[in-house]
Every structure is written in C-alpha cells, then in structure tokens.
Amino acid sequence: MEDIKNLAHAAKQRLKNNFWEDCKRNFDAGAVQAKALGLNEVKVKSTLKTRVKSEIKGEKQDAFYLRVKALLDAEGEVSDAIGRLTDREYYETLSYEEKQRYTLALSTKYLRALEKYRKEKELGI
C-alpha cells in the first residue's frame, strides 16, 4: 500500500511541476530540430520517450555510461579507452582468467555505451 501512495505522490508532484508540459515542449522542439537537421523525427521522439519513462521510474543514468560520455566529450574516441575505464585497484586483485573476463565485459559495456553516445550525438540530444 505504501508503494501506491509513493507513486501517487510522485505523479502529483509531476503535475504540480509542469512535468508533462515540459515533456510536450521537449517532444515538439526535438521534432522541429530533427526535421531541420534532416533526421528521423520518430527516432528522436522514441529516444525522448525512453528518457521520460526511465525518469518516471526513478532510474538514473548508468555511472559507467556517464564516464564514457565524459571521456568521449573531452577527448573523442581514443585507442586506450578500455585501459582508461579499467578500475585499477579491482583489476590488480584478479587472477589471469578473471582479468580476461573483466576486460571482455568492460569492452562489451564500452561498445554499448559508445553506440548509445553516437546515437545521442546523431539525434542532437
């Protein structure tokens, strides 16, 4: 029952703070900007819709993605990105096989974050 009350309170706060009007304004501005840049308006709206859903659910952006984004904004794509993103203290405690798995998992996460970053840049978000 407490969860329902919290959800209702959060919904009421969104209404009070003009959350939905801001969302509508962002959707419209994104569509106009996409049209001006010759981008797909549906993709821009879909990306914004995903962001709104995650914000409503209370999800925060992935800390790893924020690190990747900061790196890419500051220096662009660099050849040693995996090395820069590696947690050195944790890495030194691992065995050889664990280091290999860690590096592979980190590489996979980096590629996903890079793809997300490129998509956001392409859509101008």
Side-chain angles (χ1 to χ4, degrees):
M1 192 62 157
E2 193 65 31
D3 290 340
I4 292 173
K5 286 182 181 179
N6 289 336
L7 290 172
H9 178 71
K12 187 175 180 181
Q13 287 301 108
R14 284 193 294 275
L15 288 172
K16 279 184 173 180
N17 296 327
N18 297 324
F19 177 82
W20 296 112
E21 288 83 5
D22 293 341
C23 284
K24 175 74 171 130
R25 199 174 317 110
N26 288 339
F27 275 106
D28 293 341
V32 169
Q33 185 179 15
K35 194 174 213 177
L37 296 172
L39 299 173
N40 188 342
E41 294 175 48
V42 175
K43 282 186 179 180
V44 172
K45 286 183 177 182
S46 175
T47 302
L48 291 172
K49 181 180 171 183
T50 304
R51 281 190 179 179
V52 169
K53 281 183 179 180
S54 64
E55 189 173 331
I56 288 172
K57 290 178 184 176
E59 297 172 355
K60 295 187 174 139
Q61 279 199 345
D62 182 19
F64 181 78
Y65 174 70
L66 295 175
R67 286 179 54 206
V68 170
K69 184 176 179 182
L71 174 66
L72 293 171
D73 284 341
E75 300 184 38
E77 292 185 42
V78 292
S79 60
D80 64 337
I82 303 301
R84 292 181 187 201
L85 297 168
T86 300
D87 180 356
R88 291 287 172 203
E89 290 179 23
Y90 174 70
Y91 187 78
E92 295 304 322
T93 65
L94 301 175
S95 69
Y96 177 78
E97 293 83 12
E98 291 170 330
K99 286 180 181 180
Q100 296 296 313
R101 280 192 291 273
Y102 176 80
T103 303
L104 183 61
L106 188 64
S107 176
T108 303
K109 281 178 68 175
Y110 172 73
L111 290 174
R112 273 193 242 118
L114 180 61
E115 186 63 32
K116 180 178 177 181
Y117 177 83
R118 287 178 179 161
K119 186 182 206 182
E120 286 182 358
K121 288 298 179 183
E122 176 186 313
L123 297 175
I125 297 175

